Amino acid sequence: AQSVTQLDSQVPVFEEAPVELRCNYSSSVSVYLFWYVQYPNQGLQLLLKYLSGSTLVKGINGFEAEFNKSQTSFHLRKPSVHISDTAEYFCAGGTSYGKLTFGQGTILTVHP
Amino acid sequence: NAGVTQTPKFRVLKTGQSMTLLCAQDMNHEYMYWYRQDPGMGLRLIHYSVGEGTTAKGEVPDGYNVSRLKKQNFLLGLESAAPSQTSVYFCASTTDGVTDTQYFGPGTRLTVL
């Protein structure tokens, strides 16, 4: 069975600093990985996804993630964060019929 | 295009009461999902549907039932609510399964007293 682990429950960072949100996965089948963002009191929206091909995936709002098969990781990065990036971020793995297995979530708080 | 909508936005129930949550999508998506979100646990799949008239169990189906009588609607029912079902419920839909983006509704916050 697939599992997804987000290694940090909360990440505080100052505005314009770089950030990395860590995600590890375990899977014995094909790997499809996603990062979703949830702004306060809203639903989730897709940041980026890895299906196959290039291991560096670029998403919206300047985020990118790198798929690392040997380390079973899919960490999310942004070189310079803004106040508006404050949100909860979820890593997820996809399986048959589009079922998603989510990590526990990481709350990113950007301080001025 | 409204995308994915959920009704109601908030609800308070007493233990043992029943209710139905409605999810509607106007994107002609085949696949629809119900998740619940609890602090520190991420989102967990309750039930899903791969097309009109079909439903299947997800990770945490106990205490819930679903129906997909029309392609655009996916209903989640609680027959006898319990405090453990206090949660935020999200509906999502997608066109074609595992590689496609899931579009989420705004959520329903349910409290069971």
Side-chain angles (χ1 to χ4, degrees):
Chain A
Q2 186 173 65
S3 69
V4 175
T5 303
Q6 293 181 241
L7 301 173
D8 306 292
S9 59
Q10 298 191 50
V11 173
V13 64
F14 286 108
E15 194 172 19
E16 297 184 5
V19 71
E20 178 179 81
L21 307 183
R22 299 180 294 166
C23 173
N24 286 351
Y25 70 92
S26 66
S27 177
S28 60
V29 296
S30 296
V31 176
Y32 302 106
L33 295 166
F34 305 79
W35 275 99
Y36 281 85
V37 60
Q38 183 180 32
Y39 298 105
N41 300 312
Q42 294 186 26
L44 280 70
Q45 63 184 80
L46 182 71
L47 275 179
L48 49 81
K49 59 184 174 183
Y50 172 79
L51 304 179
S52 64
S54 173
T55 57
L56 184 62
V57 181
K58 294 190 181 298
I60 62 171
N61 300 339
F63 284 93
E64 62 183 32
E66 184 162 14
F67 171 69
N68 188 320
K69 187 174 183 179
S70 63
Q71 297 187 6
T72 61
S73 67
F74 189 55
H75 300 335
L76 181 71
R77 301 185 181 101
K78 186 170 183 179
S80 176
V81 294
H82 303 289
I83 297 288
S84 59
D85 293 322
T86 294
E88 189 162 15
Y89 293 78
F90 292 95
C91 182
T95 60
S96 58
Y97 305 112
K99 294 178 290 181
L100 292 177
T101 299
F102 284 89
Q104 300 88 336
T106 298
I107 296 173
L108 174 64
T109 304
V110 181
H111 298 284
Chain B
N1 251 1
V4 179
T5 58
Q6 294 183 230
T7 309
K9 289 184 169 51
F10 303 93
R11 186 72 186 268
V12 178
L13 290 178
K14 294 181 179 179
T15 297
Q17 289 185 318
S18 63
M19 78 163 293
T20 300
L21 282 67
L22 170 64
C23 175
Q25 52 93 5
D26 61 1
M27 297 174 282
N28 201 34
H29 286 170
E30 289 292 336
Y31 293 71
M32 296 186 75
Y33 310 85
W34 276 107
Y35 296 91
R36 60 176 288 172
Q37 182 181 23
D38 302 293
M41 302 185 73
L43 281 77
R44 292 177 292 168
L45 182 65
I46 305 171
H47 285 281
Y48 65 101
S49 168
V50 300
E52 180 178 309
T54 75
T55 63
K57 294 180 180 179
E59 181 186 353
V60 289
D62 293 343
Y64 305 95
N65 56 75
V66 288
S67 64
R68 183 104 181 264
L69 299 180
K70 293 183 179 181
K71 185 177 182 178
Q72 63 267 34
N73 295 338
F74 195 28
L75 278 63
L76 178 70
L78 287 72
E79 290 187 347
S80 179
S84 60
Q85 295 177 304
T86 293
S87 188
V88 182
Y89 292 85
F90 288 98
C91 176
S93 69
T94 188
T95 51
D96 193 20
V98 68
T99 61
D100 290 323
T101 300
Q102 287 192 19
Y103 294 86
F104 284 78
T108 294
R109 185 173 296 274
L110 175 66
T111 301
V112 183
L113 302 175

